[in-house]
C-alpha cells in the first residue's frame, strides 16, 4: 500500500505510471477502520529540505559544483605543512561562499514551506458526530466525509456522494488541472443522492474499493459497496483536488486520496534543482583550467624532483634529521615529486578564482532582484504585478532560449471571448482591429491611428464598435429584417442561463463556453436582451424591434434544442413566436451550415464566405447563423420523429443526429459572427519579435484542435503561407475503429496511423528541404496521437519532424504530455527550452523546461510557485528574454573572461597579494561589468530581435572564443614575466642598488593589477561612472593596500618580505617606466585582436552599435514604456480593410462546445449521458426553486 | 503546489486597487539600467590613432632609455675559472672546500672608457637559486630585528641551532650561505678604496636588521656554508649580509659589493686581487665581477629601451597595417548588410 514512487520517474518513462498492485479499501466515515491501512495524511510538502536534512543535503548540493569541491580540496591541502600559503586565505572565502549559498537556499525553501503551510491550513468542513466541523486541510484523512461549499476548492480527491442540486450533479471548474474554464459536470450515484445533510450523511456507511493512487487524471476505477450492493464507480463520481465547485450550493463527498497521493499532486513532478547550461559549461571550463593547472603542476613537480641535488649545498639538502626535508630529499625523488605536486596545486590554485562563485551569485542576485524585479517595463499596471525572479540561477539562461513552450489559456489569451465583428447579409459590421491585423499592418509599415468612436460599447464579452448597429440604428441599414433575424438568433439559439437581476447592467450569464456568453451579450447590446429562461420559454426584452424606441418583452417558446457536438458542429433551436410563427435558428461551423443552405442567393454566400475568411485570417472565431421558417405541419411531422428518437433506448445520440439532419436543411443564411478570443496585449507582436529572434514557439494546450489552430493563427504562429501538417485522431478511419470499442485494436490502429502520418510528413519535409525555397512548416498534433508519437519507437521521427517546423501546436494534451514534449526537445535536441504557463496544468511543463516562467497576477499561483520567473503578461517575455536574458548572458560571459586574465605567473607573489588578487583588486570592476555591461540598449535589443540569435548560437562562449582568450592570457603572462624580470641584472637606481625577489614581484603585481583593470575597460561596451569608480578604485585600492601593508609591522609573526618594498620601488624611475611599458605591451595583442575582430568579423551587435552610434541611449525604451502604460491599446478603425492580405482558407471556426463533453470523457472515448440542454433546463428549474423559496 | 485561496472566477483581473500599496517598482536609473554611459566603439579611427599615439610616445622614450643605457660603462670579468689553479681543475670542489689552499688570484684590467665615480662593484652569480622555496623561507625576520627573539628560529632548520641547542644568529640557509669572496683594487700600486657603506637599501638597514643584534654561534657547525661574521658588529651594520639576504628573483643575479669613489680614466691599469672563497664549483655556477656606472635609469639596461622601441615600432606598423587593410578591404561603418541575418537570410535554422 501507499508506495509513493517519485513521479519524476514516471515522467522519464514517458508513460502513465503502471498501477501499483492491489487496490485500496476505504471505509467511509470510519476513521478507526481506516487506521489499519495507514493512509497518508492530506498535508503536502513541496520543500526540498527539512530541518535535519538541510545541512547535509544543502552541502551536498553545494559540492556538486566542481569549483566548490575543488576549493574544498585546496583548503584541506592548505592546512597541511606542505602548503606554501596559509590556510586561512583559502578556508575563509570558501566558508563565505558556502554560507551565502546555504542562506539563500534556506530562504527559498522557507518560502516554499510557508506556501505549503498556507495551503495545508485552509479550512474544510468534515462530518463529526452529525455535525460539520471546520478543520484544516492537513487534518483530513482518507474516508472522511467532507462538505465543500460553492466556489470552494476540493481539498483532496473525493468520491462525490451528493449535492444540493436535485439530481446529484455538481459543476466543477478544472482550470487548475487542465486550464479549461468551461464547467464540467459530475454526477453522483443515485444511491447516494440523499446524503446531503449532516444527519443523513452520518448514517452513510460504505466501503470503497478502488485503484491505488496514480497520476492519470482521467481514469478511475472502483466499486462502492453499500448495503451489500456493489456499484461500479467511474471518473464521473470523482472530484479531484484542485478543482473548484461552481453553481452548486455544496456537495458532500468521501475522501479517497489525500495529500501527495492525489492525482494532481502525483502529476506534479519533483522540484528539480535547475542549473543553467552556461553554468554547466563553466564547470567544464573549470575542469579544463584544472587540467591545465595539473599539467603545469606536473611539469613543475617533475622539474623539482630533477632539480633537487645535494650539489646545491646552500640548500643543505643533505641534512637528515629535519622534518621539512621530505619535500626536497634528493634521495627520494618520487616523494619530492608527489609533495611538490600538492604544493604547487595549492600555490597555483588561484588560477581558478575562489571569488568566482561569490561574485557570480552576487551578480545574478542583483540582476534578478534589482533589475528584473524592478523593471518598469515588466510591471503590469492593471493587476499591480511586477515581474518576479524566483531564482537567480537562470538569468543567463534567458539569453539562450531557443524553444518556448506556451500554454494557451491565460497565457497567450486572456480566456475572454469578445464579440468583435459580424457580417449580416453581406455587410461587415464592426470597426475593431485585432492584434494580428495590427501586427500585419506594422510589418507593412502602416501606422494605425487610434480612433475610438465615443459611443463604442465595451463590456466583458463585447468589444464592438459600429454606430450602424448600435442603439437601434440598424433599422436604417439596407436590410433591417436580416439584422433582426440575426439578433434574434443570437438571443434565442443558445444554452445560456441568466443569473442575477433582470437588468441589462446587472445580469450575469452562465454559459458553458465563453463564446456563447459573448453572443448573448452581443444580442443584449443590440437591443435583444435575453433575461429569463424557463425549461420551455426564453424571454427577450426587445428594443426598437417593431418601432423605434419601443421596448417590449417577448417570450419565445422553445420547442426543440438540437444540440451541439463535435461531429455536428452546429446547434439549432426550434422556437415558436408569440404570434405562432415557427422558426428554426441554427448556428454552426461555416462548412456545415453552407452544406445545408437553400439554393440561390449565391452572391450573399460568396460575400459572406469572403468575410468569413477575412475574419479567420484576422484570428477571429467565426460562426455562421442561419434560419428557416417552418410550416406547422412539417414541424409536427418531424417532431414526432424527434420525440421517438429521443426516447429510444439504444443509440439515442446517433438517432437524434439523424433526425436533426431531416430538419436542418434549406436554411437561409443570415450572416456570421466573429468572436475574438481575446489575446493578451501585444501577444502577436511579441511572438513575431521572438520568432525573429530565432526562437521557436510551441503551443501546448488542452483545447480542441480547432481552437488551438485558431489561436495559432491569431498569434501569428501559423499563417496561410505555411505548409501545415495536421495529425489528428479525429479522422473517420480512427473514429470507425473506435466505435468498435476494442481497446487493443484501437491502440494498435492509432499507432499505425500516427506512424504512417509522421513518416509521410517527414518525407514531405525532406523533399521541401532538398528543393528550396522551402515553405515555412507548421505541425498540429493532438493529445491522443501525441501519446503514441511519444512512444520511444516514434519519438525520433516526431522530434525530427517538429524541429523542422517553425511552429508546433499540440492540442488536447495532458499536463504530463506537456512535460514530455518539453523534455523531448530538451533532452532529444539538446536545446534550451522555456516553459510558460499560468495554471496547475502547466506546472510539470514549467518544471521540465530549462527555464520555467509563470504568469502571475491572475488567481492561480501554482504555476508561479513552480516557476523560475513570474511575469504578469506574456508579452513581457520579450523584455525578459531579449533584454534581461541577453544582457545577463553577455555579462556572465564577459565576466568570465575578465576573470581569466589572472592567468599569469604568480609564482613569486606574496600570499596575501595572491589571495586578495581575485577578491579585492580585480573583483569589483569585474562585478561592475557583470552588472552593467550593455552591448546595445534595450530598445535596440527589441528593435533587432535577431541579435538574440547570438545567444542561441552561444557565440560568446564557444571554445574557439575561449581559446583565443586563453591564448591572449598566456601572452600576457609571458609579457609580465619576461619584461619584469628581463633587466634583473642591472642596477635599478642611480645608487647602484638592485631589486630583490619581492621588489620584482611587487612590481609585476602592480603591473598585473593595472593591466587587468584596463583590459576590463577595454572590453566593456558601455562605461558608466561606476566603471570608472570601480576601476580607479581597484587600482587605487591596490596602492593603498600595498602602502599600508608594506609599512606596518606588528609584533606578531610576519614575513618581512615585502617590508617597504613599494617605497623602494617608487624611489626608482625604473619602476615608472615599467609601469607604462608592461600594461601596454600586455594589452597590445588584445587591442590588435579587438581591432581585427571588429573590422573583419564583426558581431551583429557591433554593427548595431555602429548603426546607432549617434543616438541617445534608451529614449526608445522610455517611449515604449509610455505606450504600454496607456491604459489599453484601443482598437482602431482604419484602412485595415485595404491591407493586402493572403487569401485565407482558414475561416476560424473554433466554437467551444457547450455540450459539457468534458475533456475527461473524450479522452476515454466515453460519452457522458449528460447533455447541455438537460443541464440548462435543470439549472433553470433550480434557480426558479430558489426564487420561489425566497 | 496548489494554491487554494478561494478567489472568484476568472474575473481575476481586478482593477488596480488604490488602497492597496502599489507594487510598482520605483524608478531609479540603476534598477532600470539606464545609467548614463560612455559607449566606446572601436572604429578604425580609434584603432589607428591609438596605435599612432603609442608609437609616437614610445619611440622617443625608448630612444632616451637606450641612449642613457648606452652611456653606462660596464666591465664584466668571469673569474671562477681563471682563478682556479690549473692543477686543481679536476677537483675544484675539493680545492675550494679546503681550508689550506691559497685562494688568492690576481687580475689585471685596462679601463677601456672613462668611468665616472661612483663606480659600482657587483658580483654576479649564475645558476644560483636564491629563489628556491626552501631557501627563501629559511630565515627569521624576528630574530634579525629583535634581540629578544633570538631563539625564534622556527623556519631556519637545518641551520637553526647548534649541536648544543643554542640558537644561531642569524639563522637559516640564506645567512649560512653568505657570499664571501672579496675584491681588492689597486691602480699603479696604489690601493683604490672600496666603500662598502650604504650598499644595502636603507629600509633594510634601518628596520629589518637590529642595531643591537649581534651574530652568535654563526658558522660554528661542521659544515661551513659561506662567509663568517664579525660578532662584534651588529647586524644592522653587516651590509654584505643585508645585501645577500635580499634574495634575488632569478637564478642569475648581481649583488652590490661596494663602490669605488674615484674616476677611472681610460687606459688606467687596474689590478684586482680576488679572494676566491665561495663554492660555486659544486653546482657549476659561474662567478663574475662587474664594474659599472649608473645613470638616472640605473645600470646598463638596453632591454628597456629596446622594448619601448619595439612596442612603439609595432604600434606604428599596426597603424599603417590597419590603414592599408581599411583601404584594401573597407567596411562602411554600421552597414546593415553585414548583419548575420542579412548576409544569409536562411539562417533561421
Amino acid at each position: 500500500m501507499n508506495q509513493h514512487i517519485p513521479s519524476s520517474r514516471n515522467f522519464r518513462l514517458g508513460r502513465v505510471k503502471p498501477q501499483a498492485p492491489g487496490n485500496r479499501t476505504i471505509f467511509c466515515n470510519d476513521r478507526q477502520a481506516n487506521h489499519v491501512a495507514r493512509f497518508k495524511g492530506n498535508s503536502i510538502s513541496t520543500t526540498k529540505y527539512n530541518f535535519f536534512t538541510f545541512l547535509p543535503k544543502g552541502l551536498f548540493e553545494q559540492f556538486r559544483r566542481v569549483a566548490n569541491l575543488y576549493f574544498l580540496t585546496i583548503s584541506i591541502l592548505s592546512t597541511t605543512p606542505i602548503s606554501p600559503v596559509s590556510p586561512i586565505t583559502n578556508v575563509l572565502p570558501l566558508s563565505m561562499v558556502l554560507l551565502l549559498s546555504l542562506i539563500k537556499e534556506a530562504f527559498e525553501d522557507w518560502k516554499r514551506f510557508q506556501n505549503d503551510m498556507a495551503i495545508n491550513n485552509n479550512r474544510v468542513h468534515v462530518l463529526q458526530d452529525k455535525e460539520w466541523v471546520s478543520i484544516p486541510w492537513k487534518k483530513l484523512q482518507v474516508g472522511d466525509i467532507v462538505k465543500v461549499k460553492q466556489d470552494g476548492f476540493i481539498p483532496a480527491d473525493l468520491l462525490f456522494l451528493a449535492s444540493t442540486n436535485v439530481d446529484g450533479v455538481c459543476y466543477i471548474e478544472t482550470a487548475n488541472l487542465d486550464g479549461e474554464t468551461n464547467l464540467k459536470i459530475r454526477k453522483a450515484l443515485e444511491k447516494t443522492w440523499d446524503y446531503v445533510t449532516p444527519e443523513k450523511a452520518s448514517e452513510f456507511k460504505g466501503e470503497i474499493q478502488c485503484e491505488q493512487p496514480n497520476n492519470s487524471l482521467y481514469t478511475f476505477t472502483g466499486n462502492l459497496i453499500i448495503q451489500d450492493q456493489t456499484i461500479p464507480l467511474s471518473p464521473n463520481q470523482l472530484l479531484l483536488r484542485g478543482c473548484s465547485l461552481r453553481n452548486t450550493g455544496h456537495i458532500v463527498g468521501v475522501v479517497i486520496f489525500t495529500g501527495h497521493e492525489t492525482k494532481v499532486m502525483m502529476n506534479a513532478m519533483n522540484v528539480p534543482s535547475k542549473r543553467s547550461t552556461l553554468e554547466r559549461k563553466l564547470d567544464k571550463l573549470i575542469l579544463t583550467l584544472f587540467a591545465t593547472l595539473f599539467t603545469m603542476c606536473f611539469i613543475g613537480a617533475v622539474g623539482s624532483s630533477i632539480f633537487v641535488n645535494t650539489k646545491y649545498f646552500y640548500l643543505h639538502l643533505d641534512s637528515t634529521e629535519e622534518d621539512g626535508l621530505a619535500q626536497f630529499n634528493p634521495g627520494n625523488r618520487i616523494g619530492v615529486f608527489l609533495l611538490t605536486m600538492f604544493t604547487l596545486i595549492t600555490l597555483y590554485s588561484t588560477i581558478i578564482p575562489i571569488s568566482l562563485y561569490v561574485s557570480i551569485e552576487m551578480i545574478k542576485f542583483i540582476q534578478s532582484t534589482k533589475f528584473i524585479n524592478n523593471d518598469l517595463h515588466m510591471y503590469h499596471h492593471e493587476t499591480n504585478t511586477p515581474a518576479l525572479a524566483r531564482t537567480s540561477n537562470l538569468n543567463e539562461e534567458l539569453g539562450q532560449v531557443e524553444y518556448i513552450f506556451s500554454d494557451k489559456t491565460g497565457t497567450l489569451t486572456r480566456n475572454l471571448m469578445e464579440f468583435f465583428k459580424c457580417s449580416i447579409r453581406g455587410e461587415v459590421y464592426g470597426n475593431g482591429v485585432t492584434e494580428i491585423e495590427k501586427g500585419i499592418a506594422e510589418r507593412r509599415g502602416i501606422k494605425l491611428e487610434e480612433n475610438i468612436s465615443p459611443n463604442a460599447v465595451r463590456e466583458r464579452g463585447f468589444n464592438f464598435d459600429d454606430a450602424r448597429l448600435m442603439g437601434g440604428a440598424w433599422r436604417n441599414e439596407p436590410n433591417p429584417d436580416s439584422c433582426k433575424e440575426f439578433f434574434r438568433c443570437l438571443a434565442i439559439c443558445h444554452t445560456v442561463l441568466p443569473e442575477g437581476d433582470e437588468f441589462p447592467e446587472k445580469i450575469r450569464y452562465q454559459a458553458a463556453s465563453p463564446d456563447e456568453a459573448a453572443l448573448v451579450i452581443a444580442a443584449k447590446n443590440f437591443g435583444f436582451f435575453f433575461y429569463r429562461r424557463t425549461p420551455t420559454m426564453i424571454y427577450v426584452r426587445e428594443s426598437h424591434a417593431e418601432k423605434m424606441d419601443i421596448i417590449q418583452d417577448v417570450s419565445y417558446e422553445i420547442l426543440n434544442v438540437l444540440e451541439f457536438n463535435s461531429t455536428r458542429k452546429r446547434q439549432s433551436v426550434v422556437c415558436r413566436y408569440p404570434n405562432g410563427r415557427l422558426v428554426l435558428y441554427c448556428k454552426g461551423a461555416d462548412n456545415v451550415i453552407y452544406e445545408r443552405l437553400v439554393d440561390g442567393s449565391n452572391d450573399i454566400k460568396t460575400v459572406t464566405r469572403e468575410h468569413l475568411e477575412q475574419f479567420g485570417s484576422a484570428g477571429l472565431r467565426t460562426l455562421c447563423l442561419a434560419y428557416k421558417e417552418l410550416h406547422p405541419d412539417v414541424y409536427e411531422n418531424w417532431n414526432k420523429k424527434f420525440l421517438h428518437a429521443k426516447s429510444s433506448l439504444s443509440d439515442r445520440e446517433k438517432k437524434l443526429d439523424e433526425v436533426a439532419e431531416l430538419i436542418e436543411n434549406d436554411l437561409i443564411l443570415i450572416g456570421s459572427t466573429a468572436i475574438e478570443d481575446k489575446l493578451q496585449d501585444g501577444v502577436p507582436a511579441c511572438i513575431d519579435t521572438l520568432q525573429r529572434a530565432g526562437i521557436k514557439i510551441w503551443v501546448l494546450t488542452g483545447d480542441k484542435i480547432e481552437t488551438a489552430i485558431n489561436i495559432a493563427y491569431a498569434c501569428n504562429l501559423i499563417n496561410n503561407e505555411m505548409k501545415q501538417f495536421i495529425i489528428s485522431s479525429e479522422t473517420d478511419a480512427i473514429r470507425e475503429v473506435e466505435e468498435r470499442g476494442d481497446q487493443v485494436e484501437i491502440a494498435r490502429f492509432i499507432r499505425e496511423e500516427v506512424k504512417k502520418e509522421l513518416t509521410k510528413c517527414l518525407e514531405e519535409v525532406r523533399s521541401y528541404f532538398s528543393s528550396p525555397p522551402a515553405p515555412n512548416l507548421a505541425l498540429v498534433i493532438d493529445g491522443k496521437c501525441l501519446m503514441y508519437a511519444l512512444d520511444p519507437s516514434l519519438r525520433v521521427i516526431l522530434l525530427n519532424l517538429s524541429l523542422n517546423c517553425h511552429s508546433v501546436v499540440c492540442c488536447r494534451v495532458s499536463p504530463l504530455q506537456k512535460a514530455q514534449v518539453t523534455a523531448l526537445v530538451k533532452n532529444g535536441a539538446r536545446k534550451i527550452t522555456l516553459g510558460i504557463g499560468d495554471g496547475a496544468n502547466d506546472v510539470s511543463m514549467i518544471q521540465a523546461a530549462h527555464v520555467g516562467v509563470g504568469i502571475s497576477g491572475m488567481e492561480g499561483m501554482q504555476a508561479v510557485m513552480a516557476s523560475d520567473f513570474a511575469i504578469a503578461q506574456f508579452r513581457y517575455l520579450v523584455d525578459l528574454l531579449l533584454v534581461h536574458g541577453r544582457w545577463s548572458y553577455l555579462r556572465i560571459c564577459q565576466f568570465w573572461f575578465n576573470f581569466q586574465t589572472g592567468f599569469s605567473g604568480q609564482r613569486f607573489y606574496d600570499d596575501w597579494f595572491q589571495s586578495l588578487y581575485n577578491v579585492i583588486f580585480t573583483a569589483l570592476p569585474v562585478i561592475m561589468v557583470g552588472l552593467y555591461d550593455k552591448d546595445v540598449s534595450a530598445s535596440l535589443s527589441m528593435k533587432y530581435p535577431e541579435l538574440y540569435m547570438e545567444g542561441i548560437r552561444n557565440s560568446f562562449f564557444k571554445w574557439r572564443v575561449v581559446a583565443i582568450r586563453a591564448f591572449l592570457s598566456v601572452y600576457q603572462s609571458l609579457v609580465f614575466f619576461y619584461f619584469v624580470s628581463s633587466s634583473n641584472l642591472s642596477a635599478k637606481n642611480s645608487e647602484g642598488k638592485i631589486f630583490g625577489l619581492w621588489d620584482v614581484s611587487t612590481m609585476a603585481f602592480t603591473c598585473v593589477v593595472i593591466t587587468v583593470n584596463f583590459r576590463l575597460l577595454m572590453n566593456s561596451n558601455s562605461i558608466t561612472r561606476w566603471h570608472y569608480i570601480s576601476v580607479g578604485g581597484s587600482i587605487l585600492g591596490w596602492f593603498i593596500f600595498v602602502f599600508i601593508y608594506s609599512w606596518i609591522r606588528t609584533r606578531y609573526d610576519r614575513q618581512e618580505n615585502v617590508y617597504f618594498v613599494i617605497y623602494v620601488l617608487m624611489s626608482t624611475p625604473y619602476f615608472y617606466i615599467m609601469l607604462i611599458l608592461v600594461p601596454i605591451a600586455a594589452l597590445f595583442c588584445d587591442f590588435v585582436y579587438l581591432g581585427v575582430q571588429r573590422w573583419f568579423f564583426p558581431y551583429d551587435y557591433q554593427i548595431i552599435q555602429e548603426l546607432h552610434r549617434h543616438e541617445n541611449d534608451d529614449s526608445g525604451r522610455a517611449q515604449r514604456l509610455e505606450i504600454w502604460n496607456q491604459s489599453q491599446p484601443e482598437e482602431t478603425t482604419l484602412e485595415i480593410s485595404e491591407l493586402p492580405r493572403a487569401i485565407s482558407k482558414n475561416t476560424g471556426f473554433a466554437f467551444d462546445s457547450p455540450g459539457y463533453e468534458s475533456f475527461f470523457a473524450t479522452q476515454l472515448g466515453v460519452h457522458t449521458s449528460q447533455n447541455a440542454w438537460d443541464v440548462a433546463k435543470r439549472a433553470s428549474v433550480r434557480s426558479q426553486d430558489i426564487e420561489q423559496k425566497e | 503546489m496548489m494554491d487554494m485561496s478561494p478567489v472568484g472566477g476568472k474575473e481575476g483581473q481586478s482593477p488596480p486597487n488604490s488602497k492597496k500599496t502599489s507594487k510598482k517598482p520605483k524608478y531609479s536609473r540603476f534598477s532600470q539600467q539606464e545609467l548614463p554611459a560612455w559607449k566606446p566603439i572601436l572604429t578604425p579611427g580609434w584603432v589607428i590613432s591609438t596605435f599612432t599615439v603609442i608609437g609616437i610616445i614610445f619611440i622617443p622614450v625608448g630612444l632616451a632609455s637606450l641612449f642613457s643605457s648606452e652611456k653606462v660603462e660596464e666591465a664584466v670579468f668571469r673569474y671562477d675559472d681563471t682563478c682556479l689553479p690549473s692543477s686543481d681543475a679536476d677537483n675544484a670542489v675539493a680545492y675550494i672546500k679546503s681550508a689550506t689552499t691559497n685562494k688568492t688570484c690576481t687580475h689585471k684590467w685596462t679601463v677601456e672608457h672613462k668611468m665616472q665615480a661612483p663606480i659600482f662593484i657587483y658580483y654576479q652569480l649564475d645558476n644560483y637559486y636564491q629563489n628556491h622555496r626552501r631557501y627563501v623561507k629559511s630565515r627569521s625576520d624576528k630574530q634579525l630585528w629583535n634581540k629578544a627573539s633570538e631563539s625564534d628560529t622556527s623556519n631556519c632548520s637545518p641551520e637553526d641551532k647548534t649541536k648544543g641547542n643554542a640558537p644561531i644568529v642569524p639563522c637559516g640557509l640564506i645567512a649560512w650561505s653568505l657570499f664571501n669572496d672579496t675584491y681588492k683594487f689597486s691602480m699603479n700600486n696604489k690601493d683604490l678604496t672600496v666603500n662598502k657603506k650604504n650598499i644595502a637599501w636603507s629600509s633594510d638597514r634601518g628596520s629589518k636588521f637590529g642595531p643591537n643584534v649581534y651574530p652568535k654561534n654563526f658558522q660554528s657547525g661542521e659544515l661551513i656554508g659561506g662567509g663568517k661574521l664579525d660578532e662584534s658588529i651588529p647586524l644592522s651594520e653587516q651590509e654584505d649580509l643585508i645585501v645577500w639576504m635580499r634574495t634575488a628573483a632569478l637564478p642569475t643575479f648581481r649583488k652590490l659589493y661596494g663602490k669605488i669613489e674615484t674616476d677611472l680614466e681610460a687606459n688606467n691599469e687596474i689590478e684586482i686581487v680576488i679572494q676566491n672563497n665561495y663554492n660555486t664549483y659544486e653546482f657549476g655556477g659561474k662567478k663574475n665581477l662587474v664594474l659599472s656606472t649608473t645613470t638616472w635609469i640605473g645600470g646598463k639596461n638596453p632591454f628597456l629601451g629596446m622594448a619601448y622601441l619595439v612596442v612603439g615600432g609595432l604600434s606604428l606598423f599596426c597603424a599603417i597595417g590597419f590603414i592599408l587593410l581599411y583601404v584594401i578591404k573597407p567596411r562602411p561603418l554600421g552597414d546593415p548588410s553585414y548583419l548575420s541575418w542579412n548576409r544569409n537570410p536562411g539562417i533561421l535554422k
Side-chain angles (χ1 to χ4, degrees), chain A residues 93 115 137 151 158 169 172 214 454 547 581 625 923 946 961 1057 1134:
Chain A
N115 189 53
W137 282 23
D151 295 333
L158 303 181
V169 296
I172 55 168
N214 59 58
K547 277 186 191 160
R581 180 186 174 213
L625 306 190
E946 291 89 348
V961 183
N1057 294 335
L1134 195 74

Side-chain angles (χ1 to χ4, degrees), chain B residues 98-303:
Chain B
S98 159
T100 55
T101 45
N102 175 21
K103 300 193 180 86
T104 315
C105 88
T106 320
H107 190 90
K108 291 231 191 310
W109 171 53
T110 314
V111 179
E112 280 179 43
H113 302 281
K114 183 190 170 180
M115 293 175 95
Q116 238 165 359
I119 299 154
F120 296 96
I121 306 159
Y122 301 94
Y123 52 90
Q124 176 180 333
L125 296 181
D126 183 79
N127 197 21
Y128 195 107
Y129 290 86
Q130 261 206 323
N131 57 3
H132 194 274
R133 193 156 70 85
R134 179 173 162 92
Y135 191 82
V136 169
K137 71 175 192 187
S138 186
R139 65 192 283 164
S140 167
D141 283 307
K142 277 189 176 174
Q143 189 202 47
L144 293 175
W145 172 244
N146 195 344
K147 194 171 169 59
S149 308
E150 200 176 79
S151 54
D152 188 341
T153 58
S154 52
N155 283 328
C156 291
S157 176
E159 287 301 321
D160 48 350
K161 302 221 165 79
T162 59
K163 284 244 168 75
N165 220 13
I168 299 171
V169 181
C171 73
L173 291 173
I174 309 179
W176 177 73
S177 58
L178 176 66
F179 187 75
N180 59 353
D181 286 4
T182 58
Y183 315 109
K184 281 209 174 82
F185 298 84
S186 57
M187 189 166 66
N188 305 329
N189 291 329
K190 209 178 95 196
D191 277 2
L192 286 171
T193 342
V194 175
N195 181 0
K196 290 188 65 97
K197 288 282 165 216
N198 193 21
I199 54 172
W201 294 96
S202 58
S203 60
D204 283 359
R205 263 181 292 138
S207 37
K208 279 187 154 180
F209 293 82
N212 56 351
V213 184
Y214 293 90
K216 222 191 244 177
N217 304 323
F218 190 67
Q219 300 288 27
S220 58
E222 290 164 21
L223 269 168
I224 307 296
K228 301 197 174 174
L229 294 173
D230 184 344
E231 302 210 347
S232 62
I233 302 174
L235 291 184
S236 61
E237 286 165 35
Q238 307 263 14
E239 289 209 43
D240 278 326
L241 177 75
I242 298 172
V243 167
W244 181 250
M245 288 194 75
R246 197 171 186 100
T247 49
L250 294 176
T252 302
F253 59 87
R254 284 180 189 174
K255 288 195 183 281
L256 189 55
Y257 179 81
K259 295 174 271 188
I260 298 173
E261 283 168 331
T262 43
D263 291 357
L264 297 181
E265 302 297 334
N267 299 323
N268 278 359
E269 292 277 326
I270 311 278
E271 193 185 58
I272 309 166
V273 179
I274 300 166
Q275 205 55 44
N276 182 17
N277 292 328
Y278 201 69
N279 177 8
T280 58
Y281 300 102
E282 194 165 1
F283 55 86
K286 294 178 204 131
K287 289 196 274 194
N288 290 280
L289 176 64
V290 181
L291 292 168
S292 171
T293 58
T294 61
T295 59
W296 60 276
I297 202 172
K300 199 172 191 67
N301 186 9
F303 177 84

Side-chain angles (χ1 to χ4, degrees), chain A residues 91-202:
Chain A
V91 174
L92 197 71
L94 180 67
S95 330
M96 288 279 289
V97 174
L98 291 181
L99 194 71
L100 280 179
S101 309
L102 284 180
I103 288 175
K104 196 184 114 201
E105 282 286 303
F107 181 68
E108 285 179 357
D109 217 41
W110 173 248
K111 280 199 292 194
R112 273 191 288 268
F113 173 73
Q114 281 184 320
N115 189 53
D116 289 345
M117 288 303 286
I119 291 168
N120 286 337
N121 286 329
N122 275 334
R123 314 288 296 183
V124 66
H125 289 286
V126 166
L127 187 70
Q128 276 174 8
D129 302 328
K130 303 191 181 184
E131 267 177 35
W132 295 120
V133 181
S134 170
I135 63 164
W137 282 23
K138 61 182 173 193
K139 295 270 172 67
L140 212 57
Q141 286 180 17
V142 172
D144 285 353
I145 291 186
V146 297
K147 178 178 97 169
V148 181
K149 287 187 186 157
Q150 173 147 5
D151 295 333
F153 284 92
I154 313 284
D157 288 356
L158 303 181
L159 177 71
F160 178 30
L161 292 180
S163 89
T164 49
N165 290 350
V166 279
D167 44 3
V169 296
C170 71
Y171 307 91
I172 55 168
E173 193 182 281
T174 55
N176 275 336
L177 300 179
D178 53 22
E180 288 187 37
T181 47
N182 44 347
L183 302 182
K184 313 261 159 61
I185 195 163
R186 290 289 176 274
K187 189 167 182 183
L189 294 170
E190 259 189 74
K191 273 275 179 195
T192 62
W193 281 4
D194 301 334
Y195 299 99
V196 185
T197 60
E199 296 79 24
K200 189 82 175 134
S202 60

Side-chain angles (χ1 to χ4, degrees), chain A residues 27-283:
Chain A
F27 301 97
C28 302
N29 204 7
D30 190 347
R31 279 197 172 186
Q32 244 136 47
N34 285 326
H35 186 69
V36 188
R38 297 192 175 278
F39 295 120
K40 288 202 169 160
N42 197 34
S43 73
I44 56 157
S45 160
T46 56
T47 55
K48 271 202 263 182
Y49 314 105
N50 64 34
F51 189 76
F52 298 104
T53 60
F54 177 71
L55 215 54
K57 211 170 155 189
L59 281 177
F60 174 75
E61 287 278 319
Q62 289 305 315
F63 287 121
R64 271 173 46 187
R65 280 180 166 165
V66 181
N68 282 347
L69 200 63
Y70 167 76
F71 289 122
L72 182 71
T73 323
I74 298 295
S75 299
I76 292 169
L77 277 180
S78 67
T79 55
T80 61
I82 56 164
S83 159
V85 294
S86 72
I88 189 94
T89 53
N90 278 317
V91 174
L92 197 71
L94 180 67
S95 330
M96 288 279 289
V97 174
L98 291 181
L99 194 71
L100 280 179
S101 309
L102 284 180
I103 288 175
K104 196 184 114 201
E105 282 286 303
F107 181 68
E108 285 179 357
D109 217 41
W110 173 248
K111 280 199 292 194
R112 273 191 288 268
F113 173 73
Q114 281 184 320
N115 189 53
D116 289 345
M117 288 303 286
I119 291 168
N120 286 337
N121 286 329
N122 275 334
R123 314 288 296 183
V124 66
H125 289 286
V126 166
L127 187 70
Q128 276 174 8
D129 302 328
K130 303 191 181 184
E131 267 177 35
W132 295 120
V133 181
S134 170
I135 63 164
W137 282 23
K138 61 182 173 193
K139 295 270 172 67
L140 212 57
Q141 286 180 17
V142 172
D144 285 353
I145 291 186
V146 297
K147 178 178 97 169
V148 181
K149 287 187 186 157
Q150 173 147 5
D151 295 333
F153 284 92
I154 313 284
D157 288 356
L158 303 181
L159 177 71
F160 178 30
L161 292 180
S163 89
T164 49
N165 290 350
V166 279
D167 44 3
V169 296
C170 71
Y171 307 91
I172 55 168
E173 193 182 281
T174 55
N176 275 336
L177 300 179
D178 53 22
E180 288 187 37
T181 47
N182 44 347
L183 302 182
K184 313 261 159 61
I185 195 163
R186 290 289 176 274
K187 189 167 182 183
L189 294 170
E190 259 189 74
K191 273 275 179 195
T192 62
W193 281 4
D194 301 334
Y195 299 99
V196 185
T197 60
E199 296 79 24
K200 189 82 175 134
S202 60
E203 291 166 19
F204 182 77
K205 292 282 177 220
E207 191 185 321
I208 301 166
Q209 287 178 337
C210 65
E211 60 189 18
Q212 287 293 345
N214 59 58
N215 64 358
S216 163
L217 285 176
Y218 309 117
T219 62
F220 176 70
T221 52
N223 289 317
L224 174 66
I225 302 165
I226 178 172
Q227 294 151 11
D228 295 331
Q229 257 184 304
T230 303
I231 312 169
L233 299 171
S234 72
N236 219 4
Q237 283 88 43
L238 192 66
L239 304 178
L240 297 180
R241 178 179 174 131
C243 299
S244 53
L245 191 67
R246 299 273 183 249
N247 281 348
T248 313
H250 70 255
I251 59 108
V252 174
V254 183
V255 178
I256 302 178
F257 303 127
T258 46
H260 287 283
E261 293 181 340
T262 55
K263 294 196 178 239
V264 64
M265 288 304 288
M266 294 194 74
N267 255 279
M269 293 195 294
N270 288 347
V271 182
S273 296
K274 288 187 186 174
R275 297 185 56 213
S276 76
T277 21
L278 199 66
E279 207 181 308
R280 277 195 291 264
K281 202 155 177 190
L282 292 192
D283 275 355

Side-chain angles (χ1 to χ4, degrees), chain A residues 523-551:
Chain A
K524 176 179 87 179
N525 283 298
F526 292 131
F528 289 77
F529 171 42
F530 156 67
Y531 64 95
R532 188 187 299 162
R533 175 196 282 281
T534 68
T536 53
M537 303 293 272
I538 276 183
Y539 297 87
V540 179
R541 187 165 299 153
E542 300 184 349
S543 327
H544 329 295
E546 305 307 322
K547 277 186 191 160
M548 277 309 274
D549 299 329
I550 297 288
I551 297 173

